[in-house]
Amino acid sequence: MVTLQLAWKNTIGAGIRTWLNVIVLSVAFVTIIGMQGLYTGMLDRARDAMIRMELGAGQFWHSEYDPYDPFALTESHGPIPTNLQNDVARGDAVPILITQGSIFPEGRIKPILLKGIPPEQTILEMPTKSMVAENDIPALIGNNMAENSGLSVGDYITVRWRDANGTYDAADVRIAHIMETIVQSVDNGQIWLPLDRIYTMTGMEDEATLIVRGEGAANITAAGNWIFRDIGFLTREIDEIQDMSDSSLSIMYFFLLGMGLLAVFDTQVLSLWRRRKEMGTLMALGMTRGTLIRLFTLEGALHAILAILVGAVWGLPLLTWFARTGFTMPEYVEDYGMALGRTMYPTYGAGLVMGTIILVFITVTIVSYLPTRKIAKLEPTDALRGKFS
């Protein structure tokens, strides 16, 4: 307890040197939590939006289906597997038929994907019930598709497609609804139509390209030559981005924390140099070298504790405000193809905060200890004369 009191007195007595170190460390502490929270919140939001809008509880893919191979799309459809038909009939699974098509906005041709989905489905949080026919073909599009094509609700657009026999056909569809979504994989270059209408248009009756499984569906993972893709597989791109982000952020955290640690290290070295006679006096009065090392290490560790407290004072209100208002990104972020959205909201978990506190405390303590190893060779007589042994 005496050592702690003496360390506290010396730390506070150092004045501006202590508070400069504390401020630098608190900036690093709050910045690490803020940046990591932003990336965590961004990716969690993207994953959650994709599951709700597109992925459900997993998907069955036709054996030929590859979302990155448009040339394989014409062959990527087949009858709904027998062991999945009950789930589809109960509404616990949603069949989606995808085919290529073209639209002609403002006199130019634009390739698109036509996707058929049952309007009455409830598994995906898409406003498919808005596709109400009025002696026409109702269509659902996303806000980015509407903006890029200059389409509004009530507009008619000519759609061209090829049926199951490879014959071109065309019809006008009415934009029944424009959905607000951050999931670009259900938005960009896509027009959603009622499944029964796209069956009639393509002649692919009772066929599908993929089947989205709901939470209430039977736990089936094998369906003929259809391939089940679980959520881990379907969100692997987000996991890969998170891994890359963690590596990039680690470098930034290293430099941020490194500045604070360098300041603490310099302070410790300077303190040892300036307080040689004090150390000699303490040793002459009976303080052991081990106690002296603990005293100086404790003084350094107190910088970390003060930095955490100071960071909490100014960082907690700032991070709370940041979590409520979010961080607005430039418009081009929406073209990345991920469910990022324009505004990103950070998420601060207890693990993130506690992990950062432990990281700052341990690294500062280690850096504070390193210069004090010189005390182990210090002779009291040399210290009283202002020399190191």
Side-chain angles (χ1 to χ4, degrees):
M1 182 58 72
V2 174
T3 306
L4 178 61
Q5 291 175 343
L6 190 57
W8 174 258
K9 183 180 177 182
N10 291 338
T11 303
I12 297 300
I16 188 67
R17 285 186 288 114
T18 294
W19 293 112
L20 284 175
N21 290 337
V22 167
I23 290 172
V24 173
L25 282 172
S26 71
V27 169
F29 172 65
V30 174
T31 304
I32 289 173
I33 293 178
M35 292 299 297
Q36 191 63 42
L38 179 63
Y39 272 90
T40 302
M42 176 184 73
L43 296 177
D44 286 349
R45 187 178 181 224
R47 184 182 287 103
D48 179 66
M50 289 177 66
I51 290 173
R52 290 186 291 105
M53 294 288 292
E54 182 185 15
L55 308 179
Q59 295 180 344
F60 284 93
W61 287 6
H62 186 271
S63 57
E64 299 295 328
Y65 178 59
D66 181 352
Y68 300 107
D69 185 2
F71 297 104
L73 200 56
T74 54
E75 304 298 329
S76 305
H77 58 88
I80 297 172
T82 306
N83 58 346
L84 296 179
Q85 290 179 357
N86 287 336
D87 285 337
V88 172
R90 289 196 306 269
D92 291 330
V94 179
I96 295 176
L97 179 63
I98 306 175
T99 187
Q100 290 177 313
S102 303
I103 58 175
F104 306 89
E106 301 175 351
R108 53 190 172 86
I109 186 169
K110 179 179 178 135
I112 59 164
L113 292 178
L114 292 171
K115 293 188 172 181
I117 186 171
E120 66 278 6
Q121 67 84 28
T122 57
I123 293 176
L124 301 178
E125 294 184 11
M126 294 174 60
T128 52
K129 292 181 179 177
S130 62
M131 293 188 292
V132 179
E134 298 176 356
N135 297 322
D136 54 14
I137 303 176
L140 172 67
I141 60 175
N143 48 307
N144 272 340
M145 175 68 179
E147 183 178 349
N148 294 335
S149 303
L151 295 172
S152 304
V153 173
D155 287 352
Y156 283 85
I157 184 81
T158 301
V159 175
R160 187 182 68 172
W161 69 93
R162 296 178 69 174
D163 62 19
N165 300 316
T167 304
Y168 280 105
D169 202 348
D172 290 339
V173 301
R174 174 178 53 85
I175 306 302
H177 187 77
I178 297 175
M179 60 179 169
E180 294 291 334
T181 178
I182 63 171
V183 183
Q184 302 306 306
S185 50
V186 299
D187 183 351
N188 281 340
Q190 300 176 33
I191 293 182
W192 294 82
L193 301 174
L195 185 61
D196 56 348
R197 299 305 299 262
I198 205 167
Y199 279 161
T200 305
M201 293 162 61
T202 60
M204 303 174 188
E205 192 72 22
D206 294 330
E207 295 190 359
T209 302
L210 60 91
I211 298 171
V212 181
R213 201 172 76 174
E215 295 291 346
N219 187 23
I220 299 172
T221 57
N225 61 347
W226 289 63
I227 304 167
F228 180 69
R229 304 296 191 186
D230 60 17
I231 293 299
F233 178 87
L234 296 171
T235 59
R236 66 191 186 286
E237 292 180 352
I238 294 179
D239 296 332
E240 291 171 358
I241 291 174
Q242 188 158 20
D243 291 340
M244 288 189 292
S245 300
D246 288 344
S247 301
S248 303
L249 289 174
S250 297
I251 298 173
M252 190 180 71
Y253 298 160
F254 174 78
F255 284 107
L256 272 174
L257 196 55
M259 288 189 294
L261 296 177
L262 184 61
V264 172
F265 185 83
D266 285 346
T267 300
Q268 286 290 80
V269 172
L270 181 62
S271 181
L272 288 172
W273 179 257
R274 296 181 60 180
R275 294 165 60 187
R276 288 165 295 177
K277 291 185 178 180
E278 177 189 340
M279 289 187 287
T281 302
L282 291 172
M283 294 176 72
L285 290 174
M287 181 175 283
T288 64
R289 290 183 178 83
T291 305
L292 203 55
I293 290 174
R294 284 197 296 275
L295 172 65
F296 277 84
T297 304
L298 192 55
E299 289 178 17
L302 284 175
H303 286 86
I305 296 174
L306 287 173
I308 292 168
L309 294 176
V310 171
V313 169
W314 69 267
L316 187 60
L318 178 64
L319 294 178
T320 303
W321 173 81
F322 195 31
R324 289 178 180 171
T325 59
F327 182 75
T328 302
M329 301 292 290
E331 291 184 5
Y332 60 78
V333 171
E334 293 181 333
D335 298 329
Y336 285 176
M338 285 193 61
L340 298 178
R342 288 285 307 280
T343 305
M344 301 179 183
Y345 296 91
T347 302
Y348 313 114
L352 169 63
V353 176
M354 291 305 299
T356 308
I357 289 176
I358 293 172
L359 173 68
V360 171
F361 182 77
I362 291 177
T363 52
V364 170
T365 302
I366 292 174
V367 168
S368 302
Y369 166 74
L370 294 177
T372 64
R373 292 178 300 171
K374 200 174 182 63
I375 297 175
K377 301 178 182 177
L378 182 64
E379 293 296 336
T381 52
D382 291 337
L384 288 171
R385 289 198 298 269
K387 297 180 179 178
F388 272 111
S389 301

